[in-house]
Amino acid sequence: MLLSLLRSSSSCCLRRAPAAAGLALRRALSSSASSSSSSSASSGVKTIGVVGAGQMGTGIGLVSAVHAGLDVVLVDSSEAQRQVSSKFQAKWLAKEQDKGRLDADQAAAIAEKMTMAGDLSALSEADFVVEAVPENLDLKRTIFQTLAEVVPKHAVLASNTSSISITKLQHPSVVGDAGDRVIGMHFMNPVPVMKLVEVIEGLKTSPETLDITLDLAARMNKVTSKSQDVPGFIANRILMPYINEAVIALETGVASREDIDTTMKLGTGVPMGPLVLADFIGLDTCLAIMR
């Protein structure tokens, strides 16, 4: 079982072959941040809040500013994490300039759109919020309870969860009467590179909330897939049993770690084997999703 490999953790989620990822990023950065139509479903979204300034949250903030042209308020209670995020943003923008994907003025304009904050009260004017904190239901409930009180009544509340039920986050004890504005928006890691966003409707998610979310993802230069609110949604419902079988194959001595990964990588054309992928996602995260 995954417990037998629980020695290290990393960041979540999936990754694409480097060549394809580079092409996707180049094509994405060539799109205009102001390309959305004034009549689009998400045209009213001008400011986005992102809760959690880790790798995922910072990436979501960057694609929101770069492609959708949004003002971004990135909230994290840890000052140290906010500093890490700010350094990552500066490094990423500098790298894009070095590669000729952004000029100095564009990089400066994007940096100006990114604001850091230490408290959820900073999201009082956000039109859309994406929560991107660790996969802990109690933590997410606490955040959504506060968000429901802080954000404007029109704001959409999205969770970047990869496995937790959206319907649980819609319960009146969590968000009061805002359940229809709660939705799942599962980005893939690294966010600036990976094209996919899984969109998950809870039982109370309104058609308007769904339309706004799908349109906003398109403005971020993402491709969306829609999933029912079931354990693991689409990606992890398929991926996690695959990884778990690879762990069992290693545990029972079917083959070595190297042979398992080599067989799946070269035999099926995936960019990395299941055990390397599990380490990339984080074995603790894999275990939590399987449970």
Side-chain angles (χ1 to χ4, degrees), residues 38 40-47 70 127 154 219:
S38 60
S40 68
S42 67
S43 61
V45 178
K46 307 297 183 184
T47 299
L70 301 177
D127 303 302
H154 68 272
R219 288 173 61 189

Side-chain angles (χ1 to χ4, degrees), residues 11-69:
S11 55
C12 180
C13 222
L14 312 178
R15 197 164 192 167
R16 178 185 294 176
L23 176 60
L25 185 55
R26 287 195 297 274
R27 292 178 65 185
L29 286 166
S30 68
S31 64
S32 169
S34 60
S35 61
S36 60
S37 166
S38 60
S39 62
S40 68
S42 67
S43 61
V45 178
K46 307 297 183 184
T47 299
I48 188 170
V50 182
V51 182
Q55 184 172 351
M56 293 298 293
T58 302
I60 293 168
L62 283 170
V63 298
S64 299
V66 173
H67 302 303

